[in-house]
Amino acid sequence: MKILIKFWILHVLLLVVAGGLSAQEKTVGLNPLQAYHEIKEALISSNASLAGAKATQFINAIKANERTNASKVLRDKILFDAGHIAGSKDIEHQRDDFSSLSADFYALVKAKKLNDKPVYYAYCPMKKSYWLSEDEVIKNPYYGNIMLSCGKIAEVLK
């Protein structure tokens, strides 16, 4: 009976550890560009709590990706802005920080190829701010459903 109990405890502990590693591996394996797009999607849907959670995942992806270490100053700016998005519950404040995050992240993406697919650099004339997109369809993260298609593609990074 003692052997059975020990086996059961050991089995449960292994499942807990394996589950924790799987979640950690998913965060570490997340491409920073994909994590950025997930923040953008949360802002498009005007979901402040989801944007905060996705910003935390973005921070972890930036820290785990070797290519993002090229410029410490730029990396620190990106982490600073993402930290503000993660720590805020106000969608407008998050969108303001996303503008700064997008400008700095654009510089990083332009310098270091983080993806094999083209990256679209879109511009919102109302906000006078840019964002990165994975496709040509304009979905404005600064105004969400209010002005979803406001903007234009300013540059394509290949």
Side-chain angles (χ1 to χ4, degrees):
M1 185 66 164
K2 286 182 181 181
I3 294 174
L4 185 59
I5 292 173
K6 286 180 183 180
F7 175 76
W8 183 80
I9 291 172
L10 180 62
H11 185 69
V12 169
L13 287 173
L14 287 173
L15 287 174
V16 169
V17 170
L21 288 176
S22 296
Q24 184 180 17
E25 286 171 5
K26 287 179 186 175
T27 300
V28 169
L30 187 61
N31 181 313
L33 194 55
Q34 182 57 42
Y36 169 90
H37 291 315
E38 290 178 6
I39 298 170
K40 179 190 65 157
E41 291 298 322
L43 294 174
I44 289 168
S45 66
S46 299
N47 188 332
S49 72
L50 182 59
K54 295 301 182 180
T56 299
Q57 288 179 348
F58 175 78
I59 290 167
N60 292 333
I62 288 290
K63 288 179 178 179
N65 191 300
E66 295 282 329
R67 293 187 206 168
T68 64
N69 292 330
S71 169
K72 182 172 175 12
V73 173
L74 190 55
R75 184 175 180 262
D76 288 348
K77 286 180 180 180
I78 290 167
L79 292 173
F80 178 81
D81 292 327
H84 275 255
I85 295 169
S88 178
K89 300 292 182 209
D90 178 2
I91 194 75
E92 295 310 318
H93 181 76
Q94 289 175 322
R95 286 176 170 149
D96 287 341
D97 288 320
F98 187 72
S99 176
S100 180
L101 171 68
S102 294
D104 292 329
F105 193 54
Y106 162 77
L108 180 69
V109 170
K110 191 164 180 147
K112 298 287 178 186
K113 191 170 173 119
L114 298 177
N115 195 4
D116 293 334
K117 300 176 186 175
V119 177
Y120 300 90
Y121 195 48
Y123 177 70
C124 172
M126 300 294 290
K127 181 78 172 174
K128 296 182 178 29
S129 295
Y130 294 85
W131 74 92
L132 299 163
S133 181
E134 63 270 90
D135 58 45
E136 294 180 82
V137 176
I138 297 294
K139 291 184 183 176
N140 190 321
Y142 299 113
Y143 293 102
N145 287 334
I146 296 169
M147 297 181 75
L148 186 61
S149 62
C150 176
K152 64 179 183 176
I153 301 298
E155 184 178 355
V156 179
L157 303 173
K158 295 183 180 185

